[in-house]
Amino acid sequence: MSFETVQKNLESLGYTVRTFETGAEAAVYLNTAIDGVSVGFGGSCTAQELGLYDMLATHNEVHWHWVGGPGEREKAMQTKVYISSVNGLAETGEIINIDGAGNRVASTLYGHEKLYLVIGRNKLAATYDEALWRARNIAAPKNAQRLNRKTPCAVKGDHCYNCQSPDRICKALVVLWGAPMGLSVEILLVDEDLGY
């Protein structure tokens, strides 16, 4: 799989795509590109690893429930700019996200002027089916473990069991087949492993 191929496919689907060697370079780019606006974050280990909240909060109004508590979730959904990552990206261009509350996936579809998706190379898969498998069987169990959930995938850490546990975090799945109408989407591909 190559960034060149996935970039070409994503651009044909209406996305703006930028590539970076490191997460640090992508963070500097975002810190320059986003200035003086309201910014929301979805639950994203990638954004956390890059220190984006602290960086952007110095010159933007920033909302993230991981920092300010549950009330920030709704505020983040009403911002001009939204930043998230993904659980799987197919080389063919399909973008896959799984969510528990639905706020993150909803914000990748509608309601913001600009959406930035920061995606490390570890999220790439050759096909849609492989990207979906990755989202369900790698990203979801790791997130359930991080949140100390009592689900089979968190306990065993091996794959999705399609469980009905009350602790299940896989409540919604969104596939972007292309950039949603009326939403400017910029994808930052980073040649480092980032997040889950």
Side-chain angles (χ1 to χ4, degrees), residues 41-53 64 83-85 118:
F41 283 91
S44 170
C45 289
T46 296
Q48 187 177 48
E49 289 172 14
L50 297 179
L52 292 176
Y53 179 91
W64 194 5
I83 298 172
S84 188
S85 188
V118 185

Side-chain angles (χ1 to χ4, degrees), residues 29 36 53 92 116 145 196:
Y29 169 76
Y53 179 91
T92 47
Y116 290 95
Q145 287 175 331
Y196 306 139

Side-chain angles (χ1 to χ4, degrees), residues 31-173:
N31 195 38
T32 303
I34 303 169
D35 185 49
V37 296
S38 57
V39 181
F41 283 91
S44 170
C45 289
T46 296
Q48 187 177 48
E49 289 172 14
L50 297 179
L52 292 176
Y53 179 91
D54 291 337
M55 191 179 295
L56 292 171
T58 63
H59 55 103
N60 296 279
E61 174 193 333
V62 182
H63 300 283
W64 194 5
H65 64 285
W66 281 15
V67 177
E72 290 291 286
R73 183 178 281 132
E74 286 70 32
K75 291 177 184 174
M77 293 183 71
Q78 299 170 10
T79 57
K80 286 190 176 182
V81 173
Y82 197 79
I83 298 172
S84 188
S85 188
V86 305
N87 299 128
L89 168 61
E91 189 175 39
T92 47
E94 297 91 353
I95 296 170
I96 298 171
N97 263 319
I98 294 174
D99 202 0
N103 60 300
R104 183 170 61 95
V105 295
S107 285
T108 65
L109 295 171
Y110 184 81
H112 305 279
E113 291 179 12
K114 181 85 174 190
L115 169 66
Y116 290 95
L117 296 174
V118 185
I119 306 171
R121 66 183 175 208
N122 53 313
K123 309 289 183 76
L124 291 175
T127 66
Y128 165 76
D129 288 335
E130 290 173 280
L132 177 60
W133 185 93
R134 186 203 184 283
R136 295 188 70 200
N137 297 290
I138 295 176
K142 287 183 178 184
N143 276 310
Q145 287 175 331
R146 176 181 58 81
L147 295 168
N148 297 313
R149 297 301 178 110
K150 292 176 178 60
T151 60
C153 74
V155 172
K156 297 181 181 180
D158 54 356
H159 64 84
C160 175
Y161 289 82
N162 198 24
C163 72
Q164 299 307 314
S165 167
D167 268 1
R168 180 177 177 159
I169 62 168
C170 301
K171 300 285 187 171
L173 177 113

